[in-house]
Amino acid sequence: MDTSAYLLEFLETDRPMIRFMNVGKSYGALTVIHQLDFDVAKGEMVSIIGPSGSGKTTVLRILMTLETINTGVIYIDGKPLTHMAKGGVLVPADERHLRQMRSSIGMCFQHFNLFLIRQRWRTAWKVRCKFWVCRKRMRETVQKNC
């Protein structure tokens, strides 16, 4: 894949939080994503909808770096996620780069079972925490992570 047409990094003024540029994903002869381009601005909420098998989960798996792409580049906050700069050009990212980039992104699954886990954490923390300060920290941690 030729990455010479892609920027090493976006400037502060024109960078979205997430940018897919000409992203493609294939499984053998089956192309599931073909030249996907889209931006997500900071603070913007996006829903990915479509029929079964249209690539919604694949897009999320790619964004979480659970899948590799065949073409294109994905940027997170102006920096390449799927590639890294080496010798002034973009090359496919190594594990070290992916770990570093993963530290700034996360995903919350939308399954009702997770809400039960959240409630159990609240209950467990209430039992163990005797002081208001501890409950406050627990509440902030649960809201931040769940």
Side-chain angles (χ1 to χ4, degrees):
M1 171 173 67
D2 180 27
T3 58
S4 60
Y6 300 104
L7 296 173
L8 297 179
E9 191 169 336
F10 281 92
L11 300 175
E12 186 82 32
T13 56
D14 63 351
R15 70 176 185 211
M17 193 49 104
I18 301 170
R19 175 168 280 171
F20 276 59
M21 293 182 69
N22 198 33
V23 172
K25 174 67 181 169
S26 298
Y27 297 101
L30 176 65
T31 300
V32 292
I33 297 174
H34 180 70
Q35 296 180 341
L36 178 62
D37 291 309
F38 77 88
D39 292 349
V40 179
K42 186 174 183 174
E44 182 178 17
M45 293 174 53
V46 176
S47 295
I48 302 173
I49 58 173
S52 180
S54 63
K56 303 176 300 290
T57 301
T58 303
V59 168
L60 293 175
R61 290 180 57 81
I62 288 170
L63 187 59
M64 295 304 301
T65 67
L66 299 172
E67 297 276 350
T68 58
I69 59 176
N70 301 104
T71 62
V73 177
I74 299 171
Y75 295 88
I76 301 292
D77 198 22
K79 297 180 178 91
L81 169 69
T82 54
H83 292 74
M84 61 185 200
K86 191 171 190 177
V89 296
L90 288 179
V91 297
D94 61 17
E95 271 304 312
R96 183 172 180 235
H97 176 80
L98 291 174
R99 275 194 306 274
Q100 179 184 4
M101 294 300 292
R102 282 182 194 128
S103 69
S104 63
I105 58 177
M107 183 166 88
C108 185
F109 293 94
Q110 187 179 353
H111 286 285
F112 67 91
N113 298 1
L114 294 180
F115 293 106
L116 296 174
I117 293 169
R118 183 176 176 182
Q119 184 60 41
R120 287 185 190 133
W121 270 100
R122 284 183 180 165
T123 304
W125 274 95
K126 282 180 184 176
V127 169
R128 292 186 181 178
C129 295
K130 296 180 182 178
F131 302 104
W132 179 82
V133 174
C134 188
R135 281 194 290 256
K136 182 180 176 195
R137 262 191 237 133
M138 177 275 307
R139 189 179 317 112
E140 289 169 355
T141 302
V142 169
Q143 288 173 348
K144 180 181 171 187
N145 295 316
C146 292

